[in-house]
Amino acid sequence: MTDRRAAFHALHHTDRPLLLPNAWDHASAAALAARGHPAMGTTSLGVAATAGRPDGVAATGGETLALTHRLARLPVLLTVDVEAGFSDDPAAVAGYVAELAGLGAVGINLEDGRADGTLADPECIADKIAAVKAAVPDLFVNARTDTWWLGVADPLPQTLARARAYRAAGADGIFVPGTVDLATLRMLAERIDAPLNALYQPGGPGLDELGRAGVARVSTGSLLFRAALAAAVATADAVRSGGFTAPPGLPSYAEVQGLVPADGD
C-alpha cells in the first residue's frame, strides 16, 4: 500500500495535470480503469443518488464503504469522496478513513461546504485532517474548500486562509471547485504550497490550459454520472419515438459482463 500511495502522490507532480474521472459504481469504475486511467475518484452525488439518498448530508457512509470494498481489486489508484467525513468528530472521521485505507483507498476528498450552503469552521476541518493524517500518514488528503462553489463574497482571501490552515494540518492537496478562470487559478497555484485541484467544467479550459495555469489535478466530479443519466433518458426517449441509433462505442452485453469479477464479489 505504501508504494501505491506514493504512486498516487507522484501523479500530482507531472508535466500534465492528472485527470481524475469520478465513478459511482463498479461498472463505471471498471470501464474507466479498462480505458487506462491510472487513478480515479468517487462522486458523492453519484453514490448518493444511486442509493436514493441526498448528497452532502452524511447519509452515505455505509454505501461509500461498500463501494470502496467493491472497487479495491480494480487495477487503479482510488481516492474516495467522503463529503465532510460523515461526522463532526475528528476521531470518528479518522477511524472511518482508516477503514477505507485498509480496503485499498490511497486518498480521500474532504470538503468544508455544508448542506445549508455555508462553510464549516476551518478549525473543525483542520482537526479532521490532522486526525486522518495521524491515523494514516501517507494517505493523500485532498482538502476541498467551497469558497467559490458557494459564492461567498470576496472568495480569494478566505480560500487562501483556509488553504493555509488545511495545509498546516497536513493536507496534501487543495481542491477549489467553482472557478476555471485561468488568472484566478494561476494566482491560487502560485500562493498555495500544495498541488491545486480544479473541477472540470464543460466548455471551460482543457487539461493543457489548466496545466499551464498551475493546476495539478482536474476532477470530473459528478459530470460523468450526470452525463450517463442524460444519455439513458435520451436513449429511452429515442426508442419511444422510433429513432434511436446505437452510438459508436456502445458496449455490448458481453463487454459489460467482462467488467465483473469472475467470482461476482
Side-chain angles (χ1 to χ4, degrees), residues 163-184:
R164 285 192 296 269
Y166 302 161
R167 279 289 286 153
D172 301 284
I174 302 295
F175 185 15
V176 186
T179 180
V180 290
D181 177 75
L182 295 175
T184 298

Side-chain angles (χ1 to χ4, degrees), residues 55-160:
D55 182 31
V57 296
T60 55
E63 286 83 359
T64 299
L65 195 67
L67 177 60
T68 302
H69 175 75
R70 286 195 294 274
L71 303 188
R73 290 193 294 175
L74 292 174
V76 68
L77 300 171
L78 178 69
T79 182
V80 180
D81 185 345
V82 297
E83 298 181 6
F86 301 120
S87 175
D88 288 330
D89 177 12
V93 174
Y96 178 83
V97 172
E99 284 192 75
L100 297 177
L103 291 173
V106 298
I108 61 162
N109 195 74
L110 185 71
E111 65 195 45
D112 62 11
R114 299 191 294 195
D116 64 0
T118 63
L119 291 167
D121 187 298
E123 291 184 5
C124 173
I125 302 300
D127 287 345
K128 294 180 184 182
I129 293 168
V132 167
K133 293 298 286 187
V136 195
D138 57 352
L139 190 82
F140 193 103
V141 175
N142 198 45
R144 170 179 146 178
T145 181
D146 286 350
T147 45
W148 257 279
W149 192 251
L150 296 177
V152 305
D154 196 17
L156 180 60
Q158 278 210 57
T159 300
L160 294 175

